[in-house]
Amino acid sequence: MSGTVSEPDRSGQERTAPLDAYSRAVTSVAAELTPKLAAVNVAHRRPWGDFVAGTGSAVVFTDDGFLLTNAHVVGHADAGTVDFADGTTAPFYVIGADPLSDLAVIRADAPTPPPARLGEANALRVGQLVVAVGNPLGLTGSLTAGVVSALGRSLPTSTGSAARVIDDVIQTDATLYPGSSGGALANADGEVVGINTAIAGIGLGLAIPVNDTSRQIIAALLSDGRVRRAYLGLAGTPAPLPPPLRNRFGQRAGLRIVQIVPRSPAARAGLRTGDLLLTAAGEPTASAQSLQRLMLADAIGHPMPLTALRGEALVDVIAIPAELSADD
């Protein structure tokens, strides 16, 4: 027998080192965010008059009791209760909801935990670690982890006859369940980069990005309780630019107008079905989403220059966006 003591086999430790780093990142996010998430409980009135209980999640995002959630979580309710992971419960009332972005702001009528840190979804990359924190199936403070599986997805929303597409939606394989809506999608630093909103299938969840557009919407909900939007009254589909115009405008596509609403701002400006819209307010319009980014409150009633290709001629017009109503 040998009198020497063998060295421990470190290969197993080396193999688990990446897993340890992954675990440390996920547990750090859990410790950071779980206390700052709430289970949302509301009562929704059904068309025939009775009530049904609804649940979801919400994220504390200010130090004076405001929480961010989905508009579809609160629905038409004015109030409800929130439950935190430490067992405390508080009543809340709805500050404002915007179904066209599926965002809502509520306020707890009691002290809340410190706010979560809001990050920037535009900095995300496909394959990046993300952690979903919420209250699926009523289980307060539940967590799943995964990666950003795609960026730039589109999510149709509507209210009344008004419709919109939420652009730049985050797709993740972090598992979401009923009740996850309104919860946080966070990066490895614990910053909230999205608000979980939809389960599109097994291993496919969607989150509203936290970016400049959503920050404007949140600010409008805080100040006014609603979001005012501008309206041109056109529908279009992306179409390629003729090669001579690609270099001139620095873009490869425009928005082919397929419908003009009669007596709308677009109709009054002289736009026509078949026009290829190139720019709006000096910004490229390569998609409906790029035009929608301009359609917020500060555009209402203000002249907006538009450039379109009609046949082989460039046409410059001025439209004055109106305010979008639920009936538009």
Side-chain angles (χ1 to χ4, degrees), residues 114-200:
R117 293 174 291 124
L118 298 185
E120 176 52 64
N122 292 344
L124 290 174
R125 297 293 180 267
V126 173
Q128 184 173 340
L129 169 68
V130 285
V131 180
V133 189
N135 301 283
L137 306 174
L139 302 173
T140 304
S142 297
L143 176 146
T144 58
V147 298
V148 175
S149 48
L151 294 167
R153 296 302 195 206
S154 296
L155 179 66
T157 62
S158 64
T159 178
S161 59
R164 186 176 184 267
V165 173
I166 305 173
D167 58 333
D168 295 331
V169 169
I170 305 162
Q171 179 184 322
T172 176
D173 67 354
T175 305
L176 304 179
Y177 298 97
S180 295
S181 293
L185 187 72
N187 61 21
D189 293 326
E191 297 173 329
V192 178
V193 292
I195 300 298
N196 300 319
T197 190
I199 307 165

Side-chain angles (χ1 to χ4, degrees), residues 36 66 104 108 185 287 299 312 322:
K36 302 170 183 180
F66 289 95
L185 187 72
S287 65
E312 297 182 355

